[in-house]
Amino acid sequence: MDRKIYYFDNNATTAVASEVVEAMQPFLQSEWGNPSSAYFFGHHLGKAIDEARQKIAALVGADSREIIFTSCGTESDNTAIFSALETTGKRHIITSAVEHSAIMSHAAYLQQKGYEVTYLPVKSDGTLDPAQVAQALRPDTALVSLMYANNETGVIFPIEEVGKICKKVKVLFHTDAVQAPGKLKINVKEMNVDFLSLSAHKLHAPKGIGMLYVKHRTPFKPLIIGGHQERKRRGGTENVPYIIGFGKAAEMSLSLFSDENTRVRALRDRLEEGILSTVPNTRLNGHKSLRMPNTTNIAFDFIEAEAIIMMFDQLGICVSSGSACTTGSMDASHVLSAMGLSAMQARGSVRFSLSRYNREEDVDYVLKHLPPIVSKLRAMSPLSEAHPDNV
Ligand code: PLP
């Protein structure tokens, strides 16, 4: 692709780092064997997988034996829920109203099957009160599953506090930390979690590889039943090149943590302040400080986010909205709706998410082009104060 792009959609997926591609290359070409083989390939590839596992364990403060490779964040989330229900035999789970569809759709499926689900509400700034977890716990609660940081707003949940509550009453606790690497400190011990999900494509590795942390001695039932791989916890021949890439990306994300939290944060703040101060009738969605350093979600009154996205697209700017285009109708984001935004406000909200590859000039480019786009769209909108019929 020759086109110059200004990429602000890193919570959707990230560019694969060239260092990651380089680390993977030998495992796609000369070292393509099966790690289960009895001859040289087996031993050699097994060692390479172990090294990658150790790097990923280091990213989350775990022991490498607690890491299970999966195909994606969705599989990791599904596995944690499945395992908790199977091993406890209980029929109630607690989650929040703002989880990713990897949890939400699974929870809805469970309800259809007769399980019970409590969806904890969030405040208008997207934060969650941990005391609600304590109130929602029941004798038949199998699992509490709460995301670490929200993919749409970047708002952070109080995982450590919830972990303490769950530990006290011996209820299993899972966190979907898919958005966190590189941006938030992750330590499974301090967080008191039994399960934690990650997905490699959010940290500059390819799509199609993820991991589930399972705390030592936690009863476990695999979702994918097959061979002896992953110590019988996830069947299927290991995706060696992607595992190696994931390991490299984990190592880089740890070493570049301070860049995301200083330079990227400053860029995000400049973008956010620039938009809020130059474009009238705009608001930040989500808590100002309890938020990942790379994300800003902004509501633009009187217009549809989709229209901004389309006009941005012509300029090579990539952003997204929380809404999902389903069967031709635009559903408002369930996250923004749970925060109390009206369907109109939610449909007028745009998410900008940055990464270590964003530069000052990317932010300048957006700040230059956005105000005239918004003015133009508002002038066309019958709902807008700027519309000639309304002034
Ligand atoms: N959980 C969260 C919070 C996410 O943002 C995503 C991806 O957008 C997922 C889970 C799913 O990850 P994957 O795309 O690897 O299945």
Side-chain angles (χ1 to χ4, degrees):
M1 202 171 51
D2 290 336
R3 196 172 169 213
K4 166 110 177 107
I5 63 162
Y6 299 83
Y7 191 72
F8 287 90
D9 204 13
N10 287 279
N11 289 6
T13 197
T14 55
V16 180
S18 55
E19 294 88 339
V20 169
V21 176
E22 211 176 295
M24 290 169 61
Q25 203 83 43
F27 297 88
L28 289 161
Q29 292 174 319
S30 51
E31 305 183 34
W32 42 261
N34 189 323
S36 301
S37 304
Y39 40 90
F40 67 95
F41 262 144
H43 172 68
H44 178 66
L45 296 178
K47 205 162 152 264
I49 291 176
D50 276 352
E51 281 167 18
R53 203 187 299 278
Q54 273 164 29
K55 290 175 185 167
I56 292 155
L59 177 66
V60 300
D63 185 282
S64 65
R65 284 167 304 181
E66 297 171 310
I67 306 299
I68 302 175
F69 287 114
T70 64
S71 67
C72 59
T74 302
E75 184 190 321
S76 303
D77 287 351
N78 274 250
T79 305
I81 296 178
F82 175 83
S83 179
L85 293 173
E86 285 278 309
T87 58
T88 62
K90 296 181 176 178
R91 299 187 67 81
H92 172 238
I93 67 167
I94 298 171
T95 186
S96 83
V98 297
E99 300 294 312
H100 186 270
S101 52
I103 296 288
M104 289 307 241
S105 304
H106 195 153
Y109 169 78
L110 289 172
Q111 284 178 296
Q112 278 172 20
K113 293 273 166 198
Y115 290 85
E116 287 185 66
V117 181
T118 301
Y119 298 93
L120 299 177
V122 292
K123 299 182 203 155
S124 61
D125 61 7
T127 57
L128 181 130
D129 178 1
Q132 287 184 309
V133 175
Q135 283 157 18
L137 284 165
R138 306 190 330 204
D140 63 339
T141 304
L143 179 75
V144 174
S145 177
L146 292 172
M147 66 203 320
Y148 188 9
N150 190 275
N151 46 302
E152 289 188 32
T153 60
V155 171
I156 302 166
F157 276 176
I159 297 303
E160 243 183 84
E161 287 91 323
V162 174
K164 277 186 203 144
I165 294 169
C166 293
K167 194 174 173 184
K168 212 164 148 192
V169 293
K170 294 194 172 67
V171 168
L172 292 169
F173 180 34
H174 165 247
T175 187
D176 173 342
V178 164
Q179 290 292 341
K183 304 161 207 161
L184 304 176
K185 193 175 155 226
I186 309 176
N187 185 302
V188 289
K189 296 192 180 73
E190 285 169 13
M191 293 162 99
N192 287 305
V193 291
D194 301 290
F195 303 104
L196 178 142
S197 307
L198 291 188
S199 175
H201 74 101
K202 310 289 183 179
L203 55 141
H204 304 287
K207 290 160 249 325
I209 184 83
M211 76 84 162
L212 179 67
Y213 156 82
V214 182
K215 188 177 164 189
H216 186 50
R217 294 189 196 283
T218 303
F220 184 76
K221 277 270 183 197
L223 178 66
I224 311 279
I225 301 166
H228 60 276
Q229 294 91 354
E230 299 300 288
R231 302 163 77 220
K232 290 200 176 150
R233 293 175 299 175
R234 201 273 185 183
T237 304
E238 297 89 338
N239 188 346
V240 184
Y242 281 43
I243 288 173
I244 303 302
F246 191 6
K248 180 70 190 171
E251 185 181 58
M252 289 178 72
S253 126
L254 254 189
S255 70
L256 295 170
F257 185 81
S258 68
D259 179 57
E260 298 253 8
N261 274 279
T262 52
R263 195 188 61 84
V264 175
R265 181 188 292 277
L267 275 185
R268 188 276 313 264
D269 288 348
R270 195 160 77 76
L271 174 72
E272 181 173 294
E273 281 152 24
I275 296 173
L276 295 175
S277 64
T278 58
V279 185
N281 298 310
T282 49
R283 259 161 296 103
L284 174 67
N285 293 322
H287 196 279
K288 179 110 179 83
S289 57
L290 271 179
R291 199 160 42 118
M292 292 195 291
N294 78 319
T295 309
T296 182
N297 188 312
I298 297 178
F300 295 82
D301 287 344
F302 317 121
I303 42 180
E304 298 274 350
E306 297 305 311
I308 298 181
I309 292 169
M310 277 160 62
M311 293 186 81
F312 265 178
D313 188 26
Q314 288 167 13
L315 296 164
I317 302 170
C318 310
V319 293
S320 68
S321 69
S323 57
C325 204
T326 45
T327 59
S329 72
M330 294 302 298
D331 284 343
S333 146
H334 71 284
V335 175
L336 301 180
S337 302
M339 288 162 61
L341 271 74
S342 68
M344 277 246 319
Q345 289 169 325
R347 282 204 300 266
S349 295
V350 177
R351 175 186 72 184
F352 298 82
S353 49
L354 290 73
S355 80
R356 59 177 180 254
Y357 296 118
N358 283 105
R359 300 281 163 253
E360 292 281 345
E361 65 182 76
D362 302 347
V363 171
D364 294 339
Y365 189 74
V366 170
L367 291 178
K368 178 175 146 205
H369 289 286
L370 182 61
I373 287 178
V374 173
S375 302
K376 194 170 161 188
L377 291 173
R378 283 190 179 150
M380 296 186 312
S381 165
L383 300 165
S384 170
E385 283 174 353
H387 191 272
D389 291 349
N390 299 334
V391 287

